[in-house]
């Protein structure tokens, strides 16, 4: 039913001035993605006050307070802004034209911060917001095993402070694929040892602070390289892991989460990684899939995973078959352009991911928000959360669906009519 | 009567069907067509029926929602093809006895898609890339300027159906077609009718691909008749950054136009005057390609993105009265009315991303609305993805190459292109660009039955092609291939109720009951059968005959 796109144009009574601090949006369908209650509301109202969502509900249940301007979105739908957990485009590296932030000096460099390279309002982010991607995790590249700290940002504003959601937003771990090309003479065995060793040192460092804060021992000496582990130990952020292949994803789960007890979510997670689905579900580790959406047939071209399969195997579908319930999507932009995050979700559905309960939209919103520990602010349309709201003409993942307007923090960050359609 | 003693019969049928799909070209005697002919021949021997029937194979798609591509949608209609060519589309059609039927209840039928600039991986052979951009830096007429060329103009293919037929059954002794036959042979010889990429293309719904400028039907297991047309697009240069390219194009058309005028005037002279007047000779730098464009034998192709170039091409084309084909056309949306007035065709990629130069004030760069704006101004829009092979999908990243051709068209819809125009952009319009629209591109009587049966809206991302049909033959069945069969498997068609007593025929449109979904009802109705063992096999008529 949801795939029937309503293509009628939206006539937002769009004033050319900044949106008022308090307003109401009315739409034929509100996809809330809330865990409690209805995942969607027909003929719904969203009240926004001071950048936050004040209330969401059916039109007949919600009274619009006095002084609130009403924007009627007509036949359009409302959806939460998308959350991307694998972005390399929100900043700028030393090399012009290359956005990926790769310091391949140290194999493990947990002290490096992506935040220093953030380039607010760059073209990629302008495209992102036009496609409905309102929050990104901007992370260092996967050239080293631990590339540094990611930062969670809104995509819509020109000032760093306005975009900031959380810094550090994650610690970036890359377990398979790129670090192997690091320098001569380093094998995967050493890399694995070194990664574990770094994680253990970081945990030990964080524990000394925990002890001090509990009133035991002297104040430890500050080490900015390992400060990020205090956030990890507090479960305030998670490790975003570039991981793929069954055996390696298994190491992410058993070593990083099981043995060392660090919060983690799977990024990439392709090439047979879905076979760990049951274990990942048991451990509560979210599986974020991308930029690959399928494991291709083993014959010809690529057979890295040695899967021995003949057909196209959808990754999200694979995790789902294993009983996993927290499956999301990422782009690894610029591998896939940032604005094509919803297409990656659509491809997940094409290749077998069941979308009968809005799983595709959840995988673009609340699932990644929870994985990144920011679900208190974004990921669903619920009272108290940031007013990051998309006005769309149909199913948010359908390539045919146009994004008519995007509100971020209650401000009209993009309006196709006002700004010209960017995407 | 048909006894639904399904399993053994169905298994044998399935095996036969697979064998047919896998048959090498030199084993074509095992094709369904040949089998059908055998059946009929034996029948005819017995009955002494008319001989003409021998050659005809009949194929029908029944109960489908037929999206003809001409604007009409016929719900639950039947398409009947005779010898691979659509005979009739409609309701309550009379299906000849030997009709092989494909029950597409609940499905949609669209014209087969046409992929422009498909990489040579599709053919599996050594064809050069048909992508003009790859050879843009070369003289577009490179290798075509040999002195014989002008004399061969008349031997070149005209888009007439009759002439095209010569491609399928050409006569080696026909010297006039030598050049073209060489092209056809080159393509046929380098084509792999069993390749993986071929199957993936069919799975996407592509039944014709452009290879080296030729329209190549994706036949499976055979190469006969696969080339519909060759060299319909003649390349010309036009770039303000390379003024020599513009000068050359102007000269080419000026020369050809002058020759046409002079020769036209001479043609109109009476016999005696002709003897006295010398027949105008071709100018020294006569350009055959420009002549072909001006005489309507070919379309002129330009590769251009910049709006100054696009404007220039539009103006130039109007001056000489031809309709330009523009590959790229990135900034077309900024000069759409000029292109519309020139009757241009555009081949573009809706998802193209190229910001305009920061040095320029005026509008420019790519736009997601490009296809929609051009369409609105009367430009015929064809669409292709940026990557016209399967490499991206085969490394696991989907949605951005030829395996997702309809997705690329869907992005056109995102920018405002009407859905029927988006479908035409990957079927009818590219067929026109290849000079093959008289044979393919829409579903109409008289055209080839190149069609796809889908389980939903072609432009929806979850839709799969269930069957692909080329020239009235099923060449792809999702459930018979390894690639997508496991994804939302097609439900078995509802089983017909067990026949309790003799069923007195009229079951041509009954739902198919076998695995392949192809129901060959050959001679069921005519032969009174008392034999309980009679099955759905291909050899049943023989059994029946013996029983009788």
């Amino acid at each position: 039913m949801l795939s029937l796109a309503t293509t009628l144009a939206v006539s937002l009574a769009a004033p050319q001035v900044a949106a008022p601090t308090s307003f109401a949006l009315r739409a034929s369908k509100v996809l809330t993605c809330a865990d409690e209650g209805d995942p969607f509301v027909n003929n719904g109202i969203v009240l926004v006050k001071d950048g936050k969502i004040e209330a969401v509900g059916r039109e007949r249940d919600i009274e619009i307070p006095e002084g609130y301007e009403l924007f009627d979105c007509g036949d359009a739908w409302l959806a939460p802004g998308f959350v991307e957990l694998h972005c390399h485009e929100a900043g700028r590296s030393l090399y012009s034209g290359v956005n990926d932030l790769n310091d391949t000096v140290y194999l493990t460099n947990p002290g490096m911060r992506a935040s220093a390279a953030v380039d607010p309002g760059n073209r990629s982010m302008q495209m992102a917001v036009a496609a409905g991607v309102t929050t990104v995790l901007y992370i260092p590249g996967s050239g080293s095993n631990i590339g540094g700290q990611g930062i969670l940002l809104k995509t819509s504003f020109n000032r760093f402070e306005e975009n900031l959601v959380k810094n550090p937003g994650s610690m970036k771990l890359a377990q398979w694929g790129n670090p192997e090309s690091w320098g001569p003479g380093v094998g995967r065995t050493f890399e694995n040892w070194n990664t574990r060793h770094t994680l253990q040192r970081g945990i030990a460092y964080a524990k000394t602070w925990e002890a001090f804060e509990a009133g035991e021992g002297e104040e430890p000496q500050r080490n900015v390289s390992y400060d990020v582990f205090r956030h990890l130990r507090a479960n305030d952020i998670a490790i975003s892991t570039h991981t793929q292949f069954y055996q390696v994803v298994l190491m992410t789960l058993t070593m990083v989460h099981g043995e060392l007890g660090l919060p983690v979510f799977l990024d990439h997670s392709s090439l047979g990684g879905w076979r760990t689905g049951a274990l990942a579900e048991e451990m509560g580790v979210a599986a974020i899939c991308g930029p690959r959406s399928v494991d291709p047939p083993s014959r010809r071209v690529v057979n890295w995973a040695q899967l021995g399969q003949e057909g196209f195997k959808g990754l999200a579908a694979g995790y789902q078959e294993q009983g996993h319930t927290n499956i999301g999507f990422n782009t690894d932009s610029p591998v896939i352009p940032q604005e094509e995050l919803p297409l990656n979700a659509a491809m997940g559905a094409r290749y077998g991911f069941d979308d009968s309960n809005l799983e595709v939209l959840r995988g673009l919103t609340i699932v990644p928000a929870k994985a990144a520990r920011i679900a208190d602010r974004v990921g669903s349309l619920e009272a108290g959360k940031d007013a990051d709201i998309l006005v769309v003409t149909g199913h948010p993942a359908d390539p045919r669906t146009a994004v008519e307007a995007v509100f971020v923090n209650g401000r009209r960050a993009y309006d196709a009519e006002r700004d010209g359609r960017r995407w | 009567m048909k006894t639904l003693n399904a399993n053994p019969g169905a298994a044998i049928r399935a095996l036969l069907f697979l064998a047919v799909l896998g048959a090498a070209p030199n084993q074509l005697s095992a094709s369904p067509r040949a089998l059908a002919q055998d059946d009929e021949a034996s029948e005819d021997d017995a009955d002494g029926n008319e001989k003409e029937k021998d050659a005809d194979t009949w194929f029908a798609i029944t109960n489908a929602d037929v999206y003809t591509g001409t604007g009409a949608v016929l719900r639950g209609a039947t398409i009947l093809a005779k010898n691979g060519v659509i005979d009739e589309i409609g309701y309550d059609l009379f299906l000849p006895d030997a009709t092989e039927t494909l029950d597409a209840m609940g499905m949609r039928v669209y014209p087969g898609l046409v992929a422009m600039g498909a990489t040579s991986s599709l053919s599996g052979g050594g064809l050069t890339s048909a992508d003009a951009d790859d050879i843009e830096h070369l003289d577009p007429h490179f290798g075509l300027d040999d002195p014989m060329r002008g004399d061969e103009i008349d031997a070149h293919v005209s888009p007439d159906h009759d002439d095209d037929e010569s491609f399928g059954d050409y006569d080696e002794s026909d010297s006039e077609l030598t050049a073209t036959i060489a092209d056809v042979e080159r393509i046929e010889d380098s084509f792999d009718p069993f390749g993986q990429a071929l199957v993936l293309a069919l799975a996407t719904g592509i039944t014709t691909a452009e290879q080296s400028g030729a329209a190549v039907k994706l036949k499976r297991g055979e190469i006969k008749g696969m080339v519909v047309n060759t060299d319909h697009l003649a390349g010309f240069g036009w770039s303000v950054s390379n003024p020599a390219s513009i000068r050359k194009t102007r000269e080419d058309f000026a020369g050809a136009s002058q020759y046409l005028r002079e020769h036209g005037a001479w043609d109109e002279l009476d016999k005696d005057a002709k003897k006295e007047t010398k027949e105008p000779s071709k100018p020294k730098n006569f350009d055959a390609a420009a002549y072909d464009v001006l005489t309507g034998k070919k379309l002129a192709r330009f590769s251009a993105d910049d709006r100054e170039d696009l404007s220039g091409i539009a103006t130039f084309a109007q001056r000489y009265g031809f309709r330009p084909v523009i590959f790229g056309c990135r900034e077309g949306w900024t000069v759409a009315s000029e292109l519309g007035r020139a009757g241009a065709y555009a081949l573009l990629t809706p998802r193209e991303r190229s910001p305009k130069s920061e040095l320029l004030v005026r509008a420019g760069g790519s736009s997601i609305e490009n296809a929609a704006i051009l369409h609105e101004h009367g430009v015929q829009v064809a669409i292709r993805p940026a990557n016209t092979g399967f490499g991206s999908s085969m490394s696991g990243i989907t949605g951005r190459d030829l395996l997702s051709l309809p997705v690329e068209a869907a992005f056109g819809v995102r920018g405002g292109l009407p859905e029927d125009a988006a479908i035409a952009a990957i079927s009818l319009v590219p067929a026109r660009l290849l000079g093959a629209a008289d044979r393919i591109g829409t579903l109409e009587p008289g055209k080839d039955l190149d069609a796809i049966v889908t389980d939903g809206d072609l432009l929806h991302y979850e839709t799969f092609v269930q069957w692909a049909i080329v020239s009235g033959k099923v060449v792809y069945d999702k459930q018979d291939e390894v690639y997508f069969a496991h994804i939302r498997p097609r439900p078995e068609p509802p089983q017909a109720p067990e026949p309790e007593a003799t069923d007195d025929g009229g079951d041509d449109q009954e739902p198919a009951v076998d695995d392949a979904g192809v129901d060959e009802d050959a001679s069921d109705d005519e032969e009174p059968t008392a034999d309980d063992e009679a099955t759905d096999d291909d050899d049943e008529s023989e059994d029946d005959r013996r029983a009788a």
Side-chain angles (χ1 to χ4, degrees):
Chain A
M1 178 186 67
L2 291 176
S3 58
L4 296 172
T6 51
T7 48
L8 284 181
V10 184
S11 63
L12 289 167
Q16 298 298 308
V17 295
T21 52
S22 305
F23 60 93
L25 294 170
R26 181 165 65 197
S28 68
K29 197 180 283 293
V30 180
L31 307 168
T32 65
C33 288
D35 282 336
E36 309 288 321
D38 295 335
F40 65 89
V41 176
N42 288 332
N43 297 317
I45 291 272
V46 177
L47 295 184
V48 176
K49 188 181 182 190
D50 300 331
K52 299 280 182 189
I53 294 169
E54 196 180 7
V56 181
R58 284 180 295 188
E59 196 175 351
R60 62 167 182 267
D61 296 338
I62 290 196
E63 198 181 324
I64 300 171
E66 210 162 307
Y68 280 56
E69 190 165 348
L70 174 68
F71 298 121
D72 191 347
C73 302
D75 284 342
W77 298 359
L78 304 183
F82 303 145
V83 179
E84 157 74 273
L85 294 188
H86 200 137
C87 165
H88 297 297
E89 287 189 305
R92 196 176 273 173
S93 77
L94 288 173
Y95 313 103
S96 65
V98 181
N99 291 310
D100 206 352
L101 196 63
N102 260 313
D103 151 69
T104 39
V105 177
Y106 301 104
L107 265 176
T108 50
N109 190 5
M112 194 177 87
R113 295 183 152 213
S115 55
V118 169
D119 180 12
N122 69 36
R123 192 183 139 76
S124 296
M125 294 301 100
Q126 288 173 9
M127 292 295 281
V129 70
V133 181
T134 54
T135 305
V136 296
L137 175 63
Y138 172 50
I139 48 179
S142 305
S144 328
N145 287 124
I146 295 178
Q149 302 166 21
I151 175 170
L152 284 155
L153 297 164
K154 296 283 174 79
T155 52
S156 316
F157 306 113
N158 291 326
R159 287 177 59 234
F160 178 89
E161 291 77 7
E162 283 176 298
N163 285 323
L164 184 62
V165 177
K166 198 182 263 188
N167 184 25
S170 80
M171 189 177 83
K172 172 69 189 294
L173 172 65
Q175 288 186 292
W176 202 103
N178 302 334
E180 285 84 343
S181 62
W182 187 93
V186 179
R188 215 175 283 158
T189 311
F190 172 77
E191 286 185 6
N192 201 37
W193 176 84
N194 184 50
T195 300
R196 183 199 300 264
H197 183 66
T198 306
L199 296 176
Q200 284 168 334
R201 285 179 65 179
I203 291 167
Y205 170 78
K207 278 183 175 168
T208 60
W209 277 95
E210 285 160 21
F212 169 68
E213 277 157 7
E216 300 162 22
E218 288 178 23
E219 183 172 350
Q221 196 178 354
R222 180 97 189 274
N223 184 342
V224 291
S225 285
Y226 291 107
D227 269 350
V228 66
F229 285 91
R230 296 174 63 189
H231 296 275
L232 288 169
R233 291 269 304 166
N235 200 16
D236 184 26
I237 62 169
I239 296 178
S240 55
T241 316
H242 167 113
T243 183
Q244 47 196 357
F245 291 92
Y246 172 74
Q247 292 88 339
V248 181
V249 176
L250 205 56
M251 284 305 287
T252 311
L253 296 171
T254 55
M255 179 178 90
V256 182
H257 188 76
E259 178 192 331
L260 300 175
L262 293 171
V264 67
F265 61 85
L266 311 177
D267 255 4
H268 259 261
S269 65
S270 47
L271 301 169
W274 57 269
R275 286 161 202 265
T276 65
L279 180 64
E281 172 69 10
E282 194 187 314
M283 291 181 153
V285 173
I288 314 294
C289 303
R292 287 188 177 80
S293 43
V294 296
D295 287 336
S298 300
R299 287 191 196 175
R300 200 158 166 262
V301 196
V302 172
N303 189 19
W304 299 331
Q306 305 280 319
L307 295 173
Q309 68 184 24
E310 296 280 356
F312 285 82
K313 177 71 185 180
L315 301 180
Y319 281 102
Q320 203 173 39
E321 277 166 29
Q322 295 264 322
H324 205 294
T325 55
N326 283 298
I327 302 161
F329 302 93
N330 71 56
T331 62
D332 200 357
S333 65
V335 173
I336 288 176
Q338 189 58 73
E339 56 273 26
E340 290 189 13
L341 174 63
L343 175 65
N344 232 25
M347 288 296 112
R350 172 170 184 78
Y351 295 109
F353 184 59
D354 178 38
D355 187 26
S356 47
N357 288 306
L358 284 178
E359 284 89 346
V360 163
L361 182 58
R362 288 173 53 80
L364 289 166
T365 54
I366 189 68
V367 170
K370 281 183 179 168
R373 276 71 175 163
I374 48 172
D376 56 325
R377 283 193 58 185
V378 300
S380 61
L381 300 181
E382 290 177 272
K385 291 199 181 186
D386 293 4
D388 295 358
I389 305 166
L390 313 182
V391 183
V392 292
T393 58
H395 190 297
D398 193 325
R400 292 173 294 180
T401 296
V403 176
E404 296 293 346
V406 178
F407 293 87
V408 180
N409 293 352
R411 285 157 58 184
R412 193 185 296 255
Y414 169 74
D415 185 320
E417 219 168 283
R418 181 190 71 191
D419 306 330
R421 183 175 299 288
R422 286 183 216 143
W423 187 242
Chain B
M1 196 207 92
K2 190 163 45 179
T3 308
L4 294 173
N5 183 7
N7 283 345
I12 294 166
R13 288 272 333 279
L15 280 173
L16 271 172
F17 190 66
L18 286 173
V20 165
L21 286 181
N26 59 358
Q27 298 171 331
L28 275 179
S29 58
S31 74
R33 179 181 190 151
L35 287 172
Q37 282 171 5
D38 286 351
D39 287 351
E40 282 168 25
S42 50
E43 230 179 290
D44 291 345
D45 288 346
D47 304 351
N49 261 346
E50 74 271 4
K51 277 288 175 200
E52 278 173 27
K53 233 180 121 192
D54 286 4
D56 294 338
T57 44
W58 296 89
F59 177 82
I61 306 172
T62 59
N63 300 320
D65 291 350
V66 181
Y67 288 71
T68 59
T70 60
V73 180
L74 305 170
R75 311 261 174 215
T78 295
I79 307 176
L80 177 64
K82 178 184 177 184
N83 301 327
V85 176
I86 298 173
D87 195 59
E88 240 182 314
I89 304 177
Y91 299 93
D92 302 324
L93 302 186
F94 170 76
L95 303 184
D97 291 339
T99 305
E100 188 181 318
T101 59
L102 174 61
D103 185 349
M105 175 75 81
M107 307 263 183
R108 298 187 182 197
V109 179
Y110 292 94
L113 307 182
V114 180
M116 291 297 291
T119 58
S120 56
S121 71
L122 200 148
S123 66
L127 293 176
T128 51
S129 164
D131 191 338
D133 295 338
D134 290 352
I135 49 169
E136 204 176 16
H137 59 282
L138 296 175
D139 176 355
H141 302 151
F142 180 77
L144 299 180
D145 272 340
D146 70 63
M148 290 298 291
R149 187 154 174 86
D151 300 324
E152 281 180 8
I153 286 169
D154 292 335
H156 264 269
V157 200
S158 89
D160 282 345
H161 193 188
D162 290 348
D163 281 8
D164 287 335
E165 293 221 311
S166 60
F167 283 105
D169 312 294
Y170 58 80
D171 181 354
E172 298 262 1
S173 66
D174 187 347
S175 58
E176 278 208 287
L177 284 167
T178 309
T180 313
I181 288 170
D183 275 353
V184 171
E185 282 183 339
R186 179 176 59 83
I187 292 165
E188 286 183 350
D189 287 351
S190 59
F191 191 76
D192 175 1
F194 305 100
Q196 184 184 44
L198 173 75
V199 181
L200 292 177
L202 291 168
T204 311
I206 299 164
T207 56
T208 301
E210 182 211 345
Q211 297 270 271
S212 304
V216 177
K217 285 173 69 135
L218 301 185
K219 294 205 159 190
R220 196 153 174 209
E222 61 177 321
I223 56 175
K224 190 174 183 236
M226 53 174 280
V227 180
V228 183
N229 197 1
T230 58
D231 282 332
H232 193 64
L233 293 165
F236 295 92
W238 194 286
S239 167
V240 288
S241 61
N242 176 14
S245 67
I246 298 178
R247 195 166 59 238
K248 171 84 168 71
T249 300
R250 286 190 188 283
E251 282 167 6
D252 289 348
F253 275 89
S257 166
Q258 186 193 343
Y259 173 68
L260 260 178
R261 235 178 1 253
E262 288 172 2
H263 204 276
W266 182 82
D267 268 345
E268 283 177 17
L269 298 175
D270 58 35
K271 237 179 185 177
D272 295 336
K274 268 187 182 169
K275 274 179 191 165
E276 285 163 24
T277 322
K278 200 184 162 214
E279 181 177 354
S281 61
K282 286 170 183 145
K284 198 175 151 203
N285 52 359
F286 175 78
D287 185 77
Y291 181 88
D292 286 351
V293 169
L294 291 178
T295 50
K297 292 195 177 77
K298 289 188 180 186
L299 290 171
R301 172 181 58 71
F302 298 85
S303 289
D305 287 311
D306 184 89
R307 93 178 195 172
E308 272 183 77
D309 292 338
L310 298 174
S311 279
I313 293 164
T315 310
F316 181 72
Q318 276 179 286
R319 183 173 154 199
Y320 282 100
F322 67 88
R323 301 179 63 177
V325 177
I326 300 171
F327 283 22
C329 212
R330 177 189 306 143
E331 294 186 343
W333 59 281
T334 65
V335 289
S337 58
E338 291 171 55
L339 292 169
R341 272 199 300 279
Y345 299 85
L347 175 64
L348 52 82
T349 303
R351 266 186 285 178
E352 181 173 6
R353 294 171 184 82
S354 303
K356 72 165 179 170
S357 162
E358 288 178 7
L359 300 173
L360 298 176
V361 175
R362 48 93 168 154
S366 56
S367 166
I368 188 75
E369 296 178 306
N370 195 16
I373 293 172
L374 287 169
H375 172 77
E376 207 173 289
H377 286 85
V379 175
Q380 294 207 31
V381 176
I383 284 175
R384 67 170 178 185
N387 176 343
T388 51
F390 297 98
S392 169
S393 295
M394 292 304 277
S395 73
I397 296 177
T398 60
R400 51 211 67 247
D401 61 12
L402 215 52
L403 195 64
S404 302
L405 182 60
V407 167
E408 197 64 50
F411 275 97
V413 175
R414 183 187 191 99
L417 188 67
E419 302 222 349
D420 56 348
I423 291 171
I426 50 175
S427 52
L428 178 58
V429 180
R432 285 183 178 146
L433 297 186
L434 298 174
D438 56 325
R439 297 265 311 268
I440 57 169
T442 57
L443 298 174
E444 294 174 80
K447 285 195 177 188
D448 294 5
L449 179 55
D450 288 7
I452 51 176
V453 182
T454 68
D455 50 18
D457 183 345
L458 178 61
L459 295 177
H460 192 273
Y461 53 92
E462 285 189 29
T463 296
F464 271 102
V465 170
Q466 296 288 338
W467 290 281
I469 295 113
V470 173
S471 292
K473 273 187 199 170
V474 175
V475 288
Y476 170 84
D477 179 338
K478 175 171 170 269
Q479 294 312 118
D480 281 354
E481 308 283 348
V482 294
Y483 300 114
F484 307 111
H486 57 289
I487 301 169
R488 293 186 287 279
R490 183 168 69 232
E492 290 289 318
Q495 289 288 323
E498 280 291 321
E500 285 168 17
T502 321
D503 176 0
D504 45 21
D507 60 346
D508 278 325
Q509 299 213 38
E510 255 180 26
V513 291
D514 54 310
D515 288 342
V518 177
D519 190 6
E520 288 168 57
D521 276 349
S523 73
D524 270 355
D525 300 341
E526 286 173 6
E527 303 288 335
T529 310
D531 185 357
D532 281 342
E533 297 304 305
T535 60
D536 207 13
D537 289 353
D538 288 302
D539 57 353
E540 80 180 84
S541 62
E542 211 174 297
D543 291 346
D544 293 348
R545 193 159 49 82
R546 262 190 250 115

